[in-house]
Amino acid sequence: MTGTSSKPSRRRAPAMDADQRRAMIVAATLPLVVEYGASVTTAKIARAAGIGEGTIFRVFPDKDALLKACVAEAVRPDDTVRHLGAISLDQPLADRLAEAAEVIRGHLTRMGAVISALAATGRLEPPKPDAEGRLPDREAGLAAPRAALAALFEPDQDRLRLSAERLADAFQLMVMSAGRPGAPDPLTIEELVDLFLHGATSSGQGDR
């Protein structure tokens, strides 16, 4: 009696569309940009992404376009908003704010690393302010994280002196200025939250 043995056929991974492939290449490039700056080669990028070098140029016209996409990804607030939204509202306000400050500082550190690496090689054009001196898209990039921060204040609104929205705005700016990458002797997360909630004098301390 003879029979045929059939081996299960290997299923090929679903093909990526152009947007998915673009996102995958950018994700593989970001840590290389931090390490090598604009001198990173497309060959290194292709190896890190597990693709052929020619695949890069199917979705990016040249390396400069890829580097610009990396900067755009580094400043996007999506991950920051997602992590802020995952902070438990069941814990005390001080603990919520400490987690939020860690998230924001992490985003600033990653963003600063990418921008600094490219700026150091002269391949990054600084954004040009508009006629009123504002940087393009800065407010748009801050709005979503600020809304997520406001949600962290809302459970305690009945004992807060200002609205959740105004406090979120002030806290966001405080974290960004007091903990920016490269700042000399930045405030610790504990110091920052304590200062924000209780002020600069010991008499401001009270129940958290």
Side-chain angles (χ1 to χ4, degrees):
M1 181 176 177
T2 61
T4 58
S5 60
S6 60
K7 294 182 179 180
S9 59
R10 293 180 63 186
R11 298 183 62 184
R12 298 180 64 181
M16 294 183 182
D17 62 27
D19 287 341
Q20 291 171 324
R21 191 171 297 281
R22 179 185 176 89
M24 180 270 290
I25 293 171
V26 168
T29 305
L30 280 169
L32 296 176
V33 167
V34 173
E35 184 174 358
Y36 298 103
S39 65
V40 63
T41 64
T42 51
K44 279 189 175 74
I45 294 168
R47 283 196 296 273
I51 58 176
E53 193 171 357
T55 302
I56 295 173
F57 299 106
R58 294 196 188 102
V59 289
F60 294 99
D62 51 39
K63 193 176 84 170
D64 281 347
L66 172 54
L67 295 179
K68 288 179 181 178
C70 286
V71 173
E73 180 62 27
V75 302
R76 277 164 56 96
D78 303 52
D79 285 344
T80 299
V81 172
R82 184 163 53 250
H83 284 108
L84 290 174
I87 295 174
S88 172
L89 299 180
D90 294 333
Q91 57 187 327
L93 178 59
D95 294 340
R96 278 176 257 154
L97 295 184
E99 282 194 46
E102 289 281 7
V103 169
I104 295 171
R105 279 191 172 179
H107 173 66
L108 293 174
T109 298
R110 290 188 297 273
M111 180 172 61
V114 171
I115 292 175
S116 296
L118 293 179
T121 59
R123 295 288 291 276
L124 179 67
E125 293 184 10
K128 295 179 175 60
D130 60 20
E132 297 180 3
R134 295 174 302 190
L135 294 177
D137 300 327
R138 183 176 186 273
E139 177 57 29
L142 295 176
R146 185 164 59 242
L149 280 173
L152 299 179
F153 285 98
E154 286 172 358
D156 293 83
Q157 184 62 77
D158 60 343
R159 68 189 187 99
L160 298 177
R161 297 176 61 190
L162 298 173
S163 69
E165 290 75 18
R166 293 195 68 186
L167 290 170
D169 184 39
F171 187 70
Q172 182 183 47
L173 293 176
M174 185 173 179
V175 174
M176 291 172 63
S177 61
R180 65 189 183 280
D185 193 23
L187 293 173
T188 66
I189 296 295
E190 182 179 15
E191 288 172 336
L192 188 149
V193 172
D194 187 68
L195 180 62
F196 182 82
L197 290 178
H198 305 127
T201 64
S202 58
S203 61
Q205 293 186 359
D207 180 35
R208 297 189 183 191

